Amino acid sequence: MNYSEGDFAKVVQKRLIDMEMTQAEFAAKCGVAPSTVSAWYQGKSTPRADALIKAAEALNLTPNDLLGFN
């Protein structure tokens, strides 16, 4: 299975909409700046391992789900 940063962005976009969570709220739960979440949301970057775990927890997903592997 191939992975691209776009997979992560699509999962985050869909999940934030489904959970009615703003990017700012998500950033606070992940312990990162809103600009960092914006970059994730746009597919410009992906989180480091520690932020990935927090992001997955905030979105009630596993890290693999968040990365689009499942």
Side-chain angles (χ1 to χ4, degrees), residues 17-41:
I17 291 167
D18 291 348
M19 295 181 73
E20 299 180 354
M21 185 185 305
T22 66
Q23 288 183 34
E25 291 168 333
F26 181 51
K29 289 182 181 212
C30 295
V32 299
S35 60
T36 299
V37 168
S38 179
W40 296 347
Y41 198 86

Side-chain angles (χ1 to χ4, degrees), residues 9-20 41:
K10 288 175 188 173
V11 173
V12 168
Q13 291 166 8
K14 180 177 182 335
R15 195 67 175 166
L16 289 180
I17 291 167
D18 291 348
M19 295 181 73
E20 299 180 354
Y41 198 86

